[in-house]
Amino acid sequence: MVSAATLRIGTAGWSIPAAARDRFPAEGSGLERYAAQLSAVEINSSFYRPHRASTYARWAASVPADFRFALKLPKTITHGARLLDCAALLVAFADQIAPLGDHLGPLLVQLPPSLKFDSAVAADFFATLARTVAAPAVCEPRHLSWFTPEADVLLAEHRIARVAADPARCDAAARPGGWRGLAYHRLHGSPQIYRSPYSDEQLRTLAAQIAHNEPAESWVIFDNTASGAALPNALTLQAARSSNNV
C-alpha cells in the first residue's frame, strides 16, 4: 500500500460512515476494518484527554506493519501551557504513546489562533520535543505571525514541517512550509469547515501536485468528518494517487 515515495492518506479518527461500509471488510474492529484500506489515521482525541498505554498497545496490535498513527499533542501543552515549561508534560505524553512503537507517525502541534510566533519560546519547545519523543513533528499555527520567513527558517532548523491547511488563513498557510523533508496536509472542508466535501477534480489536482512537487513522504488527513465526507474523500484521493503513480 505504501511506496518508496510515500503518500499516507487517512482521516481524523477511523469512523466508517454507512455510505462507505461496503468498501471495507465486514469483520473486525472499526480500526482493523479501516486499516485494511488506508495506511494512516490522525488521532485527535489525544488533544482532549490522555489515553492509557494499554490503549495505544491495543491499537498498535490492530493494524498492519506499515500503518502509522499521527497524534495530536495534548491541549495542556499547546493551549494550556502555550509551549512554555512543557518538559514534564511531554515526558508523560511520551510514556503514554510508547507502545505504538514503529506505528508512531508525526506528532501534530496545533497552536491556538491567539498564539503569536516567539522565536525563543518556539526554539526551546521544539528542541525539548525532539529530545523527548523520537518522532517527526508537524506544526499547524493559526496566528499570522507564524507565516513569515523568520518563522519558516526556525521550523526548518528544528526539522518541523508546517502543515498545509484548508481552509487557509493566508496564502502561505495553504502550502507546506518549514522543514521540507515531510509534507502534511489537513483538509478541514471548505467553504463549510468540518462538513464540506472535496470534489473529485480537487482531489485529482492534489494528487498530481503531491506527485510532482512534494518530498519523499507526504500525509493527507481529511478532517471534514462531521458530514461523513472524510472517508469517501480519502478513498477517492487514494484512487487518484494510483492513477498518478504517486
Side-chain angles (χ1 to χ4, degrees):
M1 183 181 297
V2 180
S3 65
T6 301
L7 172 58
R8 294 193 180 276
I9 300 168
T11 62
W14 52 77
S15 177
I16 301 175
R21 284 177 189 161
D22 61 350
R23 303 176 70 177
F24 292 83
E27 302 298 325
S29 69
L31 177 56
E32 287 171 331
R33 294 165 61 218
Y34 172 99
Q37 293 294 337
L38 296 168
S39 64
V41 72
E42 183 184 274
I43 296 177
N44 287 174
S45 57
S46 54
F47 175 78
Y48 298 101
R49 63 187 184 279
H51 297 302
R52 295 178 179 177
S54 59
T55 298
Y56 286 110
R58 184 176 74 253
W59 290 344
S62 301
V63 297
D66 68 355
F67 190 91
R68 297 292 181 269
F69 295 87
L71 299 179
K72 193 172 183 179
L73 248 60
K75 65 179 179 180
T76 53
I77 295 171
T78 55
H79 290 55
R82 297 172 70 86
L83 309 185
L84 290 166
D85 301 321
C86 295
L89 292 171
L90 287 170
V91 168
F93 183 64
D95 289 344
Q96 293 162 23
I97 68 176
L100 286 178
D102 291 341
H103 292 291
L104 178 60
L107 303 177
L108 169 63
V109 185
Q110 187 190 57
L111 302 179
S114 61
L115 188 60
K116 297 180 181 179
F117 175 71
D118 182 307
S119 60
V121 171
D124 181 69
F125 173 78
F126 289 124
T128 303
L129 178 61
R131 290 194 301 269
T132 308
V133 188
V138 301
C139 182
E140 185 179 15
R142 291 182 288 174
H143 191 279
L144 292 180
S145 60
W146 285 82
F147 301 97
T148 64
E150 179 189 4
D152 217 48
V153 167
L154 185 143
L155 291 172
E157 287 175 346
H158 288 270
R159 296 172 67 87
I160 305 295
R162 194 188 71 232
V163 169
D166 181 74
R169 292 176 177 262
C170 62
D171 288 345
R175 302 184 297 273
W179 182 55
R180 295 310 311 277
L182 171 66
Y184 198 100
H185 299 259
R186 298 192 82 220
L187 305 182
H188 302 290
S190 60
Q192 190 174 7
I193 194 168
Y194 307 129
R195 301 193 66 86
S196 292
Y198 293 92
S199 69
D200 289 358
E201 181 179 356
Q202 286 175 304
L203 297 174
R204 285 193 295 268
T205 298
L206 176 59
Q209 171 192 325
I210 291 171
H212 294 104
N213 299 320
E214 296 205 347
E217 182 172 359
S218 296
W219 283 59
V220 179
I221 296 295
F222 291 92
D223 191 29
N224 51 341
T225 55
S227 64
L231 199 52
N233 279 173
L235 294 171
T236 298
L237 179 62
Q238 184 160 269
R241 167 238 184 150
S242 298
S243 65
N244 280 282
N245 296 315
V246 179

